[in-house]
Amino acid sequence: MPEYPTALGASSLDRITLLGHDLAEEVMGEVGFGELAFWLATQRRPAKGEIRVFEAVLAALADHGFTPTAITARLTFLSAPDSVQGALAAGLLGGGSRFLGVTEDCGRFLHDVLAGVEGGHPDDDAEWDALALTAVRSAREAGRLVPGLGHHVHKQGDPRTARLFRIAQEEGMSGPHLSLFAAIGRVHHQVLGRTLPLNGAGVCGAALADLGLPLELLRAFALLARTAGLIGQLAEELRDPVAKDIFLSVDLNNRSVPPRPYDG
């Protein structure tokens, strides 16, 4: 007979286990959801400092106003009020390179830079700055953006960024990814010719990478956070609907234009 091993959930006639613990007696009412999410992903119970940083990331990414993900969820709910799962899924599917996906992109970028360092990580800010300068210059020469730089609203600084740096420092969870990200913030203007803020999605990616979470799942944690935010968006849509106004604004203000054949 085939076997399908798992260390996660298992059920018997009178007992459910999760991660080797009795779900009803040892997990429910004893373990917070953020802690459980971390535990499920890593199959190790996080320390208190790790939980604080992880949950700070989830809070930072939960909701950011009328972003495309929120608008999409509300419009889908307007179109299919019988399918709350469809509205949530529609919002989550918008998590890509411009919204939410930056968390993963930044974590991967920083990881790749660090993986190329020989002889250990830098010892001081000057060495971190030199490494960051090389990384930014290489990205620029390759015609690539540096993920985590810039924000369409918080042009003078993303308030989430400094706070998460501070929380990680307080909990002793500030590692090489956050150090490199901070250095990028200090030196990128030397290459780009202008100063951009380090955005919240980017610092979240750096913090998650420093927690040792799988790079392949960094976007998943951003989506986990945004799920809570989208539930809030749908709950508010029930109380104070705006989706119909958004739809009608487009529907009543569109204008016909001559066809523009694709020219390659």
Side-chain angles (χ1 to χ4, degrees):
M1 295 294 291
E3 292 186 352
Y4 305 97
T6 178
L8 302 177
S11 301
S12 62
L13 181 62
D14 59 357
R15 190 168 184 255
I16 303 172
T17 58
L18 182 63
L19 295 160
H21 291 261
D22 186 287
L23 175 65
E25 299 299 327
E26 298 177 329
V27 179
M28 294 171 60
E30 304 297 329
V31 179
F33 184 71
E35 178 181 358
L36 183 60
F38 189 107
W39 197 354
L40 286 167
T42 63
Q43 296 196 13
R44 67 174 181 83
R45 194 161 188 175
K48 287 185 177 180
E50 291 177 310
I51 297 169
R52 187 178 179 219
V53 172
F54 182 67
E55 292 191 341
V57 168
L58 296 183
L61 297 175
D63 185 78
H64 207 190
F66 283 115
T67 59
T69 59
I71 295 169
T72 299
R74 287 189 183 233
L75 288 173
T76 303
F77 197 51
L78 172 69
S79 181
D82 52 313
S83 179
V84 67
Q85 71 272 25
L88 289 172
L92 294 176
L93 288 171
S97 59
R98 294 185 178 177
F99 292 87
L100 293 178
V102 176
T103 297
E104 176 190 351
D105 297 341
C106 187
R108 285 183 177 275
F109 176 82
L110 298 171
H111 176 81
D112 290 345
V113 172
L114 292 168
V117 175
E118 297 181 0
H121 295 147
D123 294 320
D124 54 35
D125 283 354
E127 292 184 4
W128 280 114
D129 288 357
L131 177 61
L133 197 59
T134 299
V136 175
R137 187 173 288 121
S138 296
R140 182 64 178 271
E141 291 171 352
R144 294 185 291 112
L145 296 175
V146 177
L149 275 179
H151 196 283
H152 69 290
V153 175
H154 307 301
K155 299 184 182 299
Q156 303 303 316
D158 191 321
R160 299 170 295 176
T161 302
R163 177 62 173 157
L164 192 51
F165 270 121
R166 190 160 65 249
I167 290 172
Q169 196 71 43
E170 291 169 357
E171 299 299 335
M173 294 289 122
S174 183
H177 298 85
L178 282 169
S179 294
L180 177 57
F181 193 55
I184 288 173
R186 293 192 296 267
V187 306
H188 70 271
H189 68 278
Q190 298 179 41
V191 178
L192 304 185
R194 56 179 177 149
T195 299
L196 299 170
L198 296 176
N199 61 51
V203 75
C204 285
L208 292 175
D210 273 347
L211 289 175
L213 295 166
L215 295 177
E216 297 83 357
L217 296 181
L218 296 191
R219 188 176 304 191
F221 295 120
L223 295 173
L224 172 66
R226 187 51 57 92
T227 299
L230 292 177
I231 291 173
Q233 291 283 339
L234 297 181
E236 187 173 75
E237 183 65 23
L238 287 171
R239 295 191 301 271
D240 300 299
V242 299
K244 188 173 182 179
D245 292 337
I246 294 172
F247 159 62
L248 290 176
S249 177
V250 177
D251 185 52
L252 298 176
N253 293 287
N254 67 76
R255 61 185 180 88
S256 295
V257 298
R260 296 173 57 191
Y262 178 68
D263 60 6

